[in-house]
Amino acid sequence: QVQLVESGLGSVQAVGSLRLSCAASGYTFSRYCVGWFRLAPGQVREGVAIIYLDVSTIYANSVKGRFTISQDNAKNTLDLQMNSLKPEDTGMYYCAAEYTYRGYCWFVDSIFDYWGQGTQVTVSS
C-alpha cells in the first residue's frame, strides 16, 4: 500500500520561511510526476508546484520565485521550500504523486493517484 506523509506544518509571520517534506512508503518519487497542492479556506484545491523527470518543474504564478520544489532521492522525499511567505499562502498543503508514467505532468488533480493527509501552514501578517 502506497502512503504519503507530509511534515513541516507550522505558523509563521509574513516574509518568513518554512520547509515541507513528504515521505513515501511503497513508492519511489524518482522521475514520476509529483508535487504539492494546497487548499485555502473557502477555495478549491490548487496546484502549487510540481516536478517530473527529477528536475523539470512548474510553479503556480502566485509562488514563482518564492517556493522551490525538489526531490531527495537518497531519502525518497519530496520537499517544498517556502520563502517570503504571505498570509495568502495559508492553507492545507498536500503532496501528491502519479501511479505510473503518463508522459505529461500538469496542475490537474486527476492525474495524481496518491495523496498525503495534508499539513497545515498558517502565515500571519
Side-chain angles (χ1 to χ4, degrees):
Q1 183 71 40
V2 174
Q3 186 174 48
L4 305 180
V5 180
E6 302 95 335
S7 63
L9 80 168
S11 180
V12 300
Q13 291 188 316
V15 309
S17 297
L18 191 64
R19 187 175 182 85
L20 305 182
S21 184
C22 177
S25 61
Y27 185 87
T28 300
F29 287 119
S30 184
R31 299 184 64 80
Y32 286 102
C33 175
V34 297
W36 291 90
F37 288 72
R38 69 185 178 189
L39 180 62
Q43 306 293 319
V44 297
R45 187 164 58 190
E46 64 175 350
V48 175
I50 53 177
I51 183 169
Y52 57 102
L53 298 177
D54 289 0
V55 296
S56 298
T57 59
I58 301 175
Y59 294 92
N61 289 334
S62 61
V63 308
K64 195 172 298 182
R66 300 187 297 119
F67 291 11
T68 302
I69 187 171
S70 63
Q71 293 175 200
D72 186 331
N73 290 336
K75 296 191 294 185
N76 195 30
T77 61
L78 176 68
D79 305 308
L80 183 68
Q81 178 64 49
M82 304 183 291
N83 298 325
S84 301
L85 284 161
K86 305 174 180 179
E88 50 264 44
D89 293 319
T90 292
M92 187 73 73
Y93 284 68
Y94 303 86
C95 64
E98 69 176 354
Y99 169 69
T100 190
Y101 297 110
R102 290 184 169 87
Y104 53 88
C105 191
W106 313 103
F107 288 130
V108 180
D109 289 12
S110 62
I111 71 173
F112 296 94
D113 306 285
Y114 306 122
W115 293 83
Q117 82 288 346
T119 187
Q120 180 67 37
V121 171
T122 302
V123 184
S124 60
S125 61

